[in-house]
Amino acid sequence: MTRPSCPSCNRVMKRNGTTSAGTTRWRCPSPECGVSRTVKHQRDGSSLIMFLDWLFSKHTQAETGADPRTFRRHTRWCWELWPPVPLVDEIHHVVHVDGIHLHRQAVVLIAIADAHVIGWYVARRETSAGWMNLMARIAPPDVVVCDGGGGLLKALKTVWPDTRVQRCLFHVCMKISELTGTRPRLDAGKQLRKLAIGLSRVTTRDDAAAWLVAYNQWEQDFHEFLDEHSQYADGSIEDTHQRLVKARRMIRKRIKENHLFTFLDHELTRDTPIPATNNLIESWNARLRDMMRHHRGLRLIRRIKAICWWCHQHSERPQPAAWLAVNSITDQHIEDLYRKAWQSSPQGAYENYGIPNRYGTGINWNEFHTTTRYPNQTN
């Protein structure tokens, strides 16, 4: 490291310990001067490029060509950055949406169109509010391909009401097979299993009509069988064949929604075909899981940031590394925004009494300033 020069006498300065934040302190060796200062190094894009190259590769830190400690020291600040999410005002014909879960602790909702990531959003769960936040930054497309879970349909009706929906036929087939089993023993289960396999082979409008006729015939043939009930020892009455009844209810709902065969609509497929499955985004999610596996051991916040960086670098127009190093949102920026929002909220008024803001309204400060003794033994 090049030692800085004294701003007063221009002599080479010497190390003089560190500050409370851990930054190296420099002091002028001249007895007449004795100026002390710290040096703030300008962050450039070279370290960020090195960091992203390692993150998207299979290599360990020792295989990057630099000493692992040196690599971590040069790229530590990169973990503080959050890549910017694009604002998409272009209307795409087909958008694929799905979420990648991180051990039930968080989920990153991702939208893909034309082989590019067009948006992502970090949430605790796949709720309608999370999907709405993702869709709010994207112009409503003509068709959205999805698996339809976790509040997605509710968000579509609210944010993209005119967008047609294509349910992933692979997910529907797998759901039916999950309820029937891969080797069903009952005749009704065997026939429904065949219908599930036939659904994945529908490619024309005639195939779709034939499949609907076959399904209606299945319901007629096993109507009495599926309506059988059993009474248990506690007096409750339940469906005898609960899994098959659940499969019937699910298929009826899919047909009523009219989301199974949107990819066969001639008006929508006149210029560009519509996929019947969500395989595109599922393959991208597999690449993200590979990245997590190659760098296993990262804590949750770093896994979330790794996925966000991957999404940004696979967007249509990612920002250059030099721009990102200067203009990206940092953890400190987000913390400052949350603090300002908290202080302007009614709950933030408790700070005036000296209560740390992390407690929120879980403690009522007035209850701790009374002269009477409460039943809960609080003074």
Side-chain angles (χ1 to χ4, degrees):
M1 178 179 178
T2 304
R3 292 187 294 176
S5 300
C6 177
S8 300
C9 60
N10 204 28
R11 292 190 179 185
V12 178
M13 307 184 77
K14 294 184 177 180
R15 296 178 185 269
N16 188 33
T18 59
T19 64
S20 59
T23 305
T24 302
R25 184 188 291 110
W26 300 88
R27 187 177 182 84
C28 180
S30 175
E32 296 81 8
C33 183
V35 172
S36 179
R37 60 175 295 196
T38 58
V39 179
K40 184 177 181 181
H41 296 279
Q42 184 68 28
R43 296 175 176 177
D44 55 16
S46 58
S47 297
L48 183 58
I49 293 176
M50 179 173 61
F51 168 76
L52 294 178
D53 289 342
W54 163 78
L55 188 61
F56 300 151
S57 69
K58 302 179 181 179
H59 302 305
T60 63
Q61 295 178 356
E63 296 172 343
T64 58
D67 180 74
R69 292 186 177 181
T70 303
F71 175 85
R72 288 192 292 271
R73 185 174 66 253
H74 287 175
T75 61
R76 185 184 298 114
W77 62 275
C78 298
W79 286 115
E80 302 175 2
L81 306 181
W82 288 91
V85 182
L87 183 64
V88 181
D89 54 2
E90 177 186 356
I91 299 178
H92 292 87
H93 184 55
V94 180
V95 171
H96 298 257
V97 294
D98 196 11
I100 179 168
H101 292 260
L102 300 174
H103 298 289
R104 298 183 181 179
Q105 296 175 323
V107 60
V108 182
L109 309 178
I110 304 175
I112 294 178
D114 299 331
H116 295 289
V117 177
I118 62 175
W120 61 93
Y121 184 80
V122 181
R124 177 69 67 180
R125 294 175 297 275
E126 283 193 57
T127 61
S128 58
W131 284 113
M132 281 188 234
N133 289 324
L134 171 68
M135 299 173 186
R137 299 182 61 85
I138 303 174
D142 298 328
V143 181
V144 60
V145 183
C146 62
D147 56 11
L152 176 58
L153 296 180
K154 180 180 178 181
L156 286 170
K157 293 179 181 179
T158 304
V159 185
W160 294 347
D162 298 328
T163 300
R164 298 286 301 277
V165 179
Q166 170 61 53
R167 295 293 287 264
C168 177
L169 294 187
F170 176 78
H171 282 85
V172 176
C173 296
M174 292 302 295
K175 184 62 177 179
I176 298 175
S177 299
E178 179 183 340
L179 295 173
T180 61
T182 56
R183 295 181 179 180
R185 293 178 297 176
L186 302 175
D187 290 339
K190 293 179 181 178
Q191 296 297 326
L192 187 58
R193 167 72 173 163
K194 292 181 180 179
L195 286 173
I197 297 175
L199 180 62
S200 62
R201 298 172 180 172
V202 172
T203 57
T204 64
R205 296 176 67 89
D206 293 338
D207 294 341
W211 187 88
L212 291 174
V213 170
Y215 173 74
N216 289 332
Q217 186 63 43
W218 176 83
E219 280 208 8
Q220 294 178 10
D221 294 341
F222 298 98
H223 174 71
E224 296 182 357
F225 177 78
L226 296 176
D227 288 343
E228 293 179 359
H229 294 83
S230 299
Q231 185 172 1
Y232 296 92
D234 59 354
S236 61
I237 300 177
E238 302 288 346
D239 294 317
T240 303
H241 312 287
Q242 295 182 13
R243 297 174 67 88
L244 292 177
V245 171
K246 184 177 180 180
R248 179 181 64 177
R249 183 167 57 250
M250 186 267 293
I251 297 174
R252 284 179 176 179
K253 187 176 180 180
R254 297 292 89 82
I255 295 175
K256 184 178 179 180
E257 292 171 344
N258 196 24
H259 293 167
L260 288 178
F261 305 117
T262 306
F263 71 102
L264 299 176
D265 193 321
H266 291 314
E267 294 183 0
L268 295 175
T269 59
R270 186 178 305 166
D271 300 325
T272 306
I274 298 174
T277 63
N278 221 7
N279 291 344
L280 175 62
I281 198 169
E282 291 292 344
S283 63
W284 285 43
N285 287 347
R287 296 166 63 183
L288 285 171
R289 294 187 183 95
D290 286 340
M291 181 180 66
M292 295 294 99
R293 185 167 56 253
H294 295 148
H295 303 298
R296 59 184 179 272
L298 296 176
R299 56 180 180 266
L300 178 61
I301 187 61
R302 292 196 171 184
R303 281 180 284 163
I304 292 174
K305 288 185 178 181
I307 294 176
C308 293
W309 275 115
W310 192 93
C311 291
H312 176 270
Q313 294 303 106
H314 288 80
S315 59
E316 186 175 3
R317 287 179 289 272
Q319 297 291 344
W323 185 92
L324 292 169
V326 178
N327 299 284
S328 292
I329 298 294
T330 64
D331 291 337
Q332 186 62 42
H333 291 157
I334 296 177
E335 184 177 347
D336 293 340
L337 291 173
Y338 271 106
R339 183 180 296 108
K340 291 180 180 179
W342 174 263
Q343 292 173 352
S344 61
S345 65
Q347 294 85 352
Y350 288 95
E351 282 193 347
N352 298 331
Y353 298 101
I355 296 180
N357 58 12
R358 64 178 177 272
Y359 294 117
T361 57
I363 298 177
N364 191 338
W365 183 244
N366 295 325
E367 294 182 359
F368 287 82
H369 285 76
T370 58
T371 57
T372 59
R373 191 175 186 87
Y374 277 73
N376 60 2
Q377 304 301 320
T378 302
N379 292 324

